Amino acid sequence: MSTVIDGAATLAAPVATPLEDARAQLAEAIALLGYSDGTRQMLATPRRELTVAVPLRTDAGETRLFTGYRVQHNFSRGPAKGGLRYAPNVNLDEVRALAMWMTWKCALLDVPYGGAKGGIAIDPREHSQAELERVTRRYTSEILPIIGPERDIPAPDIGTDERTMAWIMDTYSVNSGYTVPGIVTGKPIALGGSQGRASATSRGVTHIALAALRHAGITQTQATAAVQGFGKVGADAARFLAEAGVTVQAVSDQYGAVFNAAGLDIEALGDHVQRTGAVVGFAGGEALDGAALLELDVDLLVPAAVEGVLHEGNAGRVGAKVIVEGANGPTTPDADRILRERGILVVPDILANAGGVIVSYFEWVQANQAYWWRADEVESRLEERMLSAWEHVLGYARSRDLSLRTAATALAVERVAEAHKLRGLYP
């Protein structure tokens, strides 16, 4: 790709991939902690990764072939844990990055897991429920040798849901000869899922967002917000923020955005999306370009969609005072630097969106004990974990004059490296 300036062609700067961003964040933490390059290499490289062919017999009787992945980044603190993503652009490097971020997330929140991630390069919107079930069951059968409640526990992510987890659980259980509810989390309540799991990531984002606003001296009932993404994280985050008194002025999805300076009616917007499949055309707000939402003059911005949406090209125009990352990796290292120079508080994904893995851990514990908690018990324990981690990261950052991302990554890397050192190197 090239651009022309005053008649001279120049090459545009290449865009960093999520894996490059993840490794850059790790390298910064390694340098801060004074660890060896050998430790950096070990933590930058997944312990195990599997690429599988996933054939599908379509409803029309044709055969199509998709590619699936499962990456297990680290086992030092416990079995691997991570979501399963169905999206057309899924690739191995993206899955590697997401698995690494999951390792740091689990360590930071002191959850006894390592990080993993999985995905299939498929667009679920183009397939029937029966086709998605066949794809899921075949993918599960292909990765059976490396998953299990003591090895690697999948969970929902983009393009998957509790129904997907039910298919995985059933496939694994049939092959085991008995029901294994601990093989996945995020499954239906009727099959041993946990109360509060479906909205856990959004609740965690909200707990952290309100704490960050307080830290910035902004009263939540006077605060304004924009939420990028109206999926399984963004939709509930917008709803919970509105219930807390925050004026949610703008929301976007992959099709566009809507804006209302007086605040969107999030419940009505949710009904509109249920009917139409998109936020576009909502009568309670005016149309807005999706990219422009990221630059609105609001107190709080919640990027809750995909990676890399805040980058060197737009970070200088971001109008928010506080950014709380609901998505994984929405801010590139270049954008991080610019935002910090501008005095914008960025709460990193490995802290902000950790509510899902916390309640996944709760679900796994409940499944292993065959004893289920009430919804209020789950919520109170989630809030306690999230706010405790917030205070820990904030204190670490203040004492060392670090950004919250650097502090959070360093804390997490330190815990993983300590576990590896205590276990020793085999043989």
Side-chain angles (χ1 to χ4, degrees), residues 25-167:
Q25 293 162 7
L26 170 63
E28 183 181 12
I30 290 289
L32 178 69
L33 295 166
Y35 291 158
S36 68
D37 189 61
T39 299
R40 181 197 62 78
Q41 291 180 49
M42 179 192 70
L43 295 179
T45 306
R47 293 286 296 275
R48 182 184 295 149
E49 52 189 38
L50 182 63
T51 299
V52 296
V54 186
L56 166 67
R57 184 180 62 256
T58 69
D59 295 339
E62 301 172 345
T63 299
R64 295 186 60 187
L65 187 67
F66 300 92
T67 302
Y69 310 95
R70 190 69 186 175
V71 173
Q72 297 166 343
H73 175 256
N74 194 274
F75 308 114
S76 295
R77 302 183 73 253
K81 183 81 183 77
L84 173 62
R85 175 173 293 192
Y86 288 179
N89 58 349
V90 166
N91 61 75
L92 184 55
D93 276 355
E94 176 191 51
V95 177
R96 286 167 171 162
L98 294 167
M100 185 186 302
W101 282 322
M102 182 60 76
T103 294
W104 311 145
K105 190 180 300 183
C106 292
L108 182 64
L109 275 294
D110 201 21
V111 172
Y113 291 141
K117 203 74 177 185
I120 303 177
I122 186 172
D123 189 341
R125 296 168 298 182
E126 297 179 355
H127 296 274
S128 68
Q129 180 175 332
E131 289 178 342
L132 291 174
E133 179 176 356
R134 291 195 288 273
V135 160
T136 300
R137 290 184 182 276
R138 182 57 184 255
Y139 169 79
T140 304
S141 70
E142 295 290 347
I143 67 169
L144 274 178
I146 66 169
I147 63 171
E150 292 85 27
R151 297 179 181 181
D152 180 0
I153 307 108
D157 196 81
I158 293 172
T160 60
D161 55 21
E162 63 176 24
R163 182 177 53 196
T164 316
M165 297 304 106
W167 295 331

Side-chain angles (χ1 to χ4, degrees), residues 199-231:
S199 61
T201 303
S202 305
R203 284 201 179 277
V205 166
T206 304
H207 288 314
I208 295 300
L210 297 179
L213 288 172
R214 289 193 295 270
H215 173 70
I218 301 169
T219 304
Q220 67 190 56
T221 54
Q222 298 175 355
T224 57
V227 178
Q228 188 229 11
F230 204 67

Side-chain angles (χ1 to χ4, degrees), residues 37 87 112 118 123 141 150 165 173 182 191-192 194 197 239 241 256 272 281 287 290 295 341 345 357-358 365 371 396:
D37 189 61
D123 189 341
S141 70
E150 292 85 27
M165 297 304 106
S173 297
L191 295 179
S194 176
R197 173 59 185 87
R239 178 165 63 88
L241 286 168
H272 171 80
E295 301 171 13
E341 290 172 353
L345 179 68
V357 75
I358 291 173
V365 168
Y371 181 81
Y396 193 95

Side-chain angles (χ1 to χ4, degrees), residues 201-377:
T201 303
S202 305
R203 284 201 179 277
V205 166
T206 304
H207 288 314
I208 295 300
L210 297 179
L213 288 172
R214 289 193 295 270
H215 173 70
I218 301 169
T219 304
Q220 67 190 56
T221 54
Q222 298 175 355
T224 57
V227 178
Q228 188 229 11
F230 204 67
K232 56 174 54 109
V233 176
D236 279 338
R239 178 165 63 88
F240 295 147
L241 286 168
E243 289 174 356
V246 176
T247 301
V248 180
Q249 293 184 330
V251 166
S252 69
D253 60 14
Q254 61 185 315
Y255 305 107
V258 289
F259 173 84
N260 187 328
L264 295 165
D265 183 334
I266 301 301
E267 183 175 352
L269 177 59
D271 292 340
H272 171 80
V273 172
Q274 284 290 328
R275 291 193 309 272
T276 68
V279 301
V280 175
F282 177 56
E286 59 187 86
L288 179 71
D289 181 72
L293 177 141
L294 298 168
E295 301 171 13
L296 289 175
D297 184 15
V298 291
D299 296 307
L300 171 67
L301 172 63
V302 180
V306 294
E307 308 93 63
V309 297
L310 296 174
H311 46 78
E312 188 176 22
N314 63 7
R317 300 191 298 274
V318 170
K321 301 176 181 66
V322 176
I323 298 172
V324 176
E325 296 182 336
N328 292 313
T331 310
T332 68
D334 285 336
D336 250 342
R337 173 183 51 78
I338 294 168
L339 294 169
R340 190 178 188 198
E341 290 172 353
R342 295 183 59 211
I344 296 172
L345 179 68
V346 179
V347 185
D349 48 2
I350 63 171
L351 171 59
N353 68 22
V357 75
I358 291 173
V359 180
S360 280
Y361 168 55
F362 294 167
E363 181 178 334
W364 181 72
V365 168
Q366 292 170 79
N368 290 339
Q369 295 177 336
Y371 181 81
W372 312 106
W373 304 348
R374 300 188 312 270
D376 62 310
E377 293 176 306

